[in-house]
Amino acid sequence: MKVLGIESSCDETSAAVVLHEKDGLCILSNSVASQIEIHARYGGVVPEVASRQHLLAIVPVIEQAMAEARIKWEDLDGVAVTSGPGLAGSLIVGVNAAKAIAMARNLPLTGVNHLEAHIYANWLTKGAKDLDFPLVCLIASGGHSDLVLMRGHGEYVLLGRTRDDAAGEAFDKAARILGLGYPGGPAIEKAAASGTSSLTLPRAWMKDSNDFSFSGLKTALLRLSEAGRIPKVEDAAASFQEAVVDVLVSKTVRVAKEYHARKILLAGGVAANKLLRNRLLADSPIPVSIPPIGLCTDNAAMVAACGCYRFTAGKRDGLDLDAYPSLRLA
Ligand code: KG4
Ligand code: ZN
């Protein structure tokens, strides 16, 4: 089965072709047009600008993905598209492109939850054959920090979520406080590389709760900055990164033990963070699956991967598929 995936939920326009064979998935192409440089001028994603950029990029990106995969339209078996959650004006560009292709080529269509797609990036890794359920997934992105129990393909139980800022959002806000630019995650990681975590910053453990909270940490950083008590930005970046990673890793490991997970899956843009990747690998008593960095941030290969499993399970949508900005995973 060959599936065309389309992603446009935030500020990356992406299209990919994924081949699903008996022994797993294989990426035939994964084309990503990033808007990061445009939004960086404003210090964050401007929804109206994002929507217009998707409109400009969507057709060339799809054409590029088809060309790189060296396939014709009639070789496709289905179209998968992110239908939520995300920015409404961004989502509708991808959803309408996918619907147009499905209608014109008489192809099956499936709407994919963006968070589920992040999880399925793990099925594009070398170790995908060893992914036995139950799995515990940490999805850490710009809009979400969710701990999810995955009992089977498409079967999710939400175990924990952020009560305020998502992990990626916290990185972005901290970078703004420290004057490090946008997007904050990579900027903090880069600055942290030449700093030491010498600042004392709070961690919201919230007793036995599996939920996260990062707004107190962000405010603590802001207060230090306002009081002129940040002598070295690099040390503040390292201390902040350490605090976020501490909480993400220890709650994920605890939950994985509690639910007897066979493996931990890391997913979402924040999974690109090397300290998070290394700490989880070091601290987890059970195996950990982490996608390559390019498959952690938004891309359409993960959407196509998820689409392959949805089509296999007979999950299809009609041409009335809409954009669902607040779509939930569980
Ligand atoms: O999954 P993603 O690409 O888009 C959403 O679905 O939100 O995640 C974007 C988030 C941003 O907040 C960005 O700052 C963060 O992921 N991020 C990182 C790193 N790379 C991206 N956070 C920490 N370290 C990184 N290396
Ligand atoms: Zn994402």
Side-chain angles (χ1 to χ4, degrees), residues 225-244:
S225 169
E226 286 170 343
R229 287 172 52 207
I230 297 186
K232 199 174 160 208
V233 165
E234 288 79 4
D235 290 350
S239 310
F240 178 86
Q241 180 177 249
E242 184 93 24
V244 174

Side-chain angles (χ1 to χ4, degrees), residues 7 9 114-115 118 141-142 268-269 296-298 302:
E7 157 66 36
S9 66
H114 181 77
L115 304 174
H118 271 303
S141 71
C296 290
T297 47
D298 289 350
M302 66 186 195

Side-chain angles (χ1 to χ4, degrees), residues 27 52 80 103 119 170 181 203 213 222 227 247 277 287 291 299 323 325:
I27 301 174
R52 283 163 197 265
M103 188 174 77
I119 292 175
R203 279 109 171 114
S213 166
L222 180 63
V247 179
R277 298 164 79 93
N299 68 90

Side-chain angles (χ1 to χ4, degrees), residues 9-10 12 114 118 140-143 168-169 171-172 183-186 189 268-270 272-274 296-298:
S9 66
C10 189
E12 327 273 3
H114 181 77
H118 271 303
S141 71
E169 188 182 358
F171 269 103
D172 294 337
E189 178 166 32
V270 181
N273 185 278
K274 289 182 205 71
C296 290
T297 47
D298 289 350

Side-chain angles (χ1 to χ4, degrees), residues 17 29 61-71:
V17 180
S29 65
V61 160
I62 292 171
E63 282 173 347
Q64 190 179 353
M66 292 295 290
E68 277 175 17
R70 296 173 186 274
I71 61 164

